[in-house]
């Protein structure tokens, strides 16, 4: 079976302002899919979606909607609907009138407007709130009404700019579930821009990790966790520890690394890694084994492939235990353990040795200056 053509296909895209090293963006979304863009700068995410929607000029590139380039079309006629906390409901209008506004602005006849509003109000559970004004709505109902105002004119793609901003935790969880349910029921195509990894993991079929305006990698959650393209993806998305070292040798896909602390460890060699170069070794907290030797075992256990460390802190986080270790050079390493682990005798200052299988760590070319 042939793959579906993209509903949204963005190619070589650049939005203003243009800086000397402004990167281009390219990505695509299949019909009914959700691409979550996980970024570290909210302003860049908002600027990207504003430009796609037509509220800011597109400097370069194509915005293909079902194969047609809509980059030159004005906002409102591209088939891309923007949902943002920056666009509140009209305070003087009821929920029903707020939902009717975009349809009336497009010149739809009253019967068509009424039918579409009734459908969306029922879909979002707003039937009983239709006659209320925004100030009388609970946060969840206000959020549903803003989403309904977007859904009434059925855009081909929903552009979601940090859609849960301003919501308390329980409201955020509930609206995240609602959005997922409505998207599945209606076959909606979504582009989600967020700084919250949980949003990206729970809603995105694919996730794109950005650093500023640069798209580092697009893939499934499993690909980003297990096969990050660079150290920034490993640390930003996978919460990996990042340790500085020098590559001793590379054989096939395996690298031997001398860390700044003096220890030697092994890891998979990332793209571009070669012998005698500085590297950043990334290993996730849940992939590190810990050994707390005692007595003669502490003196005898000098395996060069393990990392000597001192326990600097321990915190029970509910669903896991977080252990913070300090290496001989002062760098810190985080380790996660299941909450059922026996904590007896684990106090700050306890010596330990850390280890991991080579397949659970990746060495990437070093960026920046030492230290």
């Amino acid at each position: 079976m042939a793959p579906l053509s993209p509903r949204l296909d963005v190619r070589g895209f650049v939005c203003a302002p243009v800086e000397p090293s402004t990167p281009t963006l390219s990505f695509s979304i299949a019909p009914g899919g959700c691409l979550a863009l996980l970024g570290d700068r909210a302003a860049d995410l908002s600027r990207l979606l504003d430009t796609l929607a037509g509220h800011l000029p597109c400097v370069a590139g194509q915005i293909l909607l079902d194969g047609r380039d809509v980059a030159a079309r004005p906002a409102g006629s591209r088939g891309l609907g923007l949902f943002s906390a920056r666009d509140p409901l009209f305070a003087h209008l009821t929920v029903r009138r707020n939902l009717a506004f975009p349809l009336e602005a497009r010149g739809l006849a009253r019967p068509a407007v009424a039918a579409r509003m009734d459908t969306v109000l029922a879909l979002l559970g707003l039937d009983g709130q239709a006659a209320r004004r925004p100030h009388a709505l609970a946060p969840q109902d206000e959020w549903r009404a803003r989403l309904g105002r977007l859904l009434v004119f059925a855009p081909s793609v929903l552009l979601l700019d940090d859609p849960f901003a301003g919501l308390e935790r329980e409201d955020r969880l509930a609206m995240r579930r609602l959005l997922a349910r409505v998207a599945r029921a209606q076959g909606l195509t979504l582009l989600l821009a967020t700084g919250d990894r949980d949003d990206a993991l729970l809603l995105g079929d694919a996730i794109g990790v950005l650093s500023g305006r640069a798209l580092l990698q697009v893939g499934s959650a499993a690909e980003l966790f297990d096969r990050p393209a660079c150290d920034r993806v490993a640390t930003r998305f996978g919460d990996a520890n990042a340790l500085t070292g020098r590559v001793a040798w590379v054989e096939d896909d395996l690298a031997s690394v001398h860390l700044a602390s003096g220890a030697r460890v092994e890891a998979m060699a990332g793209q571009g890694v070669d012998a005698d170069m500085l590297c950043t070794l990334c290993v996730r907290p849940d992939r590190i084994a810990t050994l707390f030797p005692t007595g003669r075992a502490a003196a005898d256990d000098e395996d060069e492939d393990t990392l000597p460390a001192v326990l600097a802190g321990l915190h029970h986080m509910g669903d896991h235990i977080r252990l913070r270790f300090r290496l001989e050079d002062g760098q810190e390493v985080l380790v996660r353990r299941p909450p059922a682990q026996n904590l007896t005798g684990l106090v700050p200052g306890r010596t330990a040795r850390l280890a991991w299988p080579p397949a659970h760590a990746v060495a990437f070319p070093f960026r920046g200056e030492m230290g």
Side-chain angles (χ1 to χ4, degrees), residues 48-59:
L48 169 61
L49 295 198
D50 285 346
T51 307
L52 289 173
H55 301 302
L56 292 175
C58 174
V59 176

Side-chain angles (χ1 to χ4, degrees), residues 7-315:
R7 173 59 46 81
L8 178 65
D9 192 7
V10 176
R11 302 177 181 176
F13 185 77
V14 178
C15 55
V18 179
E19 300 165 355
S21 58
T22 298
T24 62
L25 289 176
S26 297
F27 55 82
S28 61
I29 313 174
C34 175
L35 172 63
L37 296 179
L38 180 65
D40 54 2
R41 297 204 306 231
D44 286 328
L45 294 173
S46 295
R47 185 181 297 113
L48 169 61
L49 295 198
D50 285 346
T51 307
L52 289 173
H55 301 302
L56 292 175
C58 174
V59 176
Q62 294 179 297
I63 306 170
L64 302 176
L65 186 65
D66 293 323
R68 302 185 307 275
D69 192 353
V70 299
R73 294 185 183 180
S77 64
R78 295 187 175 189
L80 304 172
L82 178 62
F83 181 87
S84 171
R86 295 171 292 141
D87 299 321
L89 297 172
F90 295 114
H92 64 291
L93 299 180
T94 64
V95 169
R96 177 175 286 275
R97 295 298 302 155
N98 266 283
L99 267 63
F101 182 83
L103 299 178
E104 293 171 346
R106 286 166 171 77
L108 267 68
R110 283 189 176 182
V113 171
R116 183 60 183 163
M117 282 194 302
D118 289 342
T119 298
V120 173
L121 287 169
L123 174 69
L124 297 176
L126 285 171
D127 311 67
Q129 312 298 325
R132 294 191 173 190
R133 286 184 169 82
H135 70 85
L137 298 175
Q140 291 191 24
D141 291 331
E142 189 272 342
W143 193 93
R144 293 168 192 260
R146 287 195 291 115
L147 180 62
R149 187 176 58 182
L150 180 63
L151 294 180
V152 288
F153 67 91
S156 296
V157 178
L158 272 60
L159 308 176
L160 307 171
D161 180 14
D162 194 9
F164 312 109
L167 293 177
E168 297 294 337
R169 183 176 182 275
E170 289 188 6
D171 293 332
R172 186 184 189 98
L173 295 176
M175 293 303 94
R176 188 193 284 155
R177 291 192 295 267
L178 172 70
L179 179 60
R181 185 168 63 250
V182 170
R184 287 194 301 269
Q186 300 292 303
L188 302 176
T189 302
L190 310 177
L191 176 60
L192 167 68
T194 181
D196 189 295
R197 191 180 67 174
D198 287 348
D199 288 348
L201 287 169
L202 293 170
L203 293 172
D205 302 310
I207 301 170
V209 181
L210 294 104
S211 176
R213 297 166 68 178
L215 185 57
L216 303 177
Q217 185 177 359
V218 177
S220 67
E223 290 170 337
L224 296 174
F225 275 124
D226 297 330
R227 294 184 295 280
C230 64
D231 60 317
R232 287 178 290 178
V233 175
T235 55
R236 170 84 174 97
F237 187 80
D239 292 333
N241 294 285
L243 304 175
T244 301
R246 184 176 293 277
V247 180
W249 49 258
V250 176
E251 292 183 4
D252 298 324
D253 294 329
L254 188 66
S256 176
V257 177
H258 288 288
L259 297 178
S261 65
R264 184 184 71 83
V265 294
E266 293 183 348
M268 303 305 295
Q271 185 175 2
V273 168
D274 207 345
D276 201 35
M277 70 182 300
L278 291 176
C279 71
T280 300
L281 186 146
C282 295
V283 55
R284 284 177 17 210
D286 57 313
R287 297 297 180 89
I288 301 175
T290 57
L291 176 65
F292 293 94
T294 58
R296 181 176 294 276
D300 294 342
D301 188 9
E302 296 295 335
D303 187 345
E304 65 176 359
D305 290 329
T306 64
L307 198 56
V310 175
L311 182 62
L314 180 150
H315 298 279

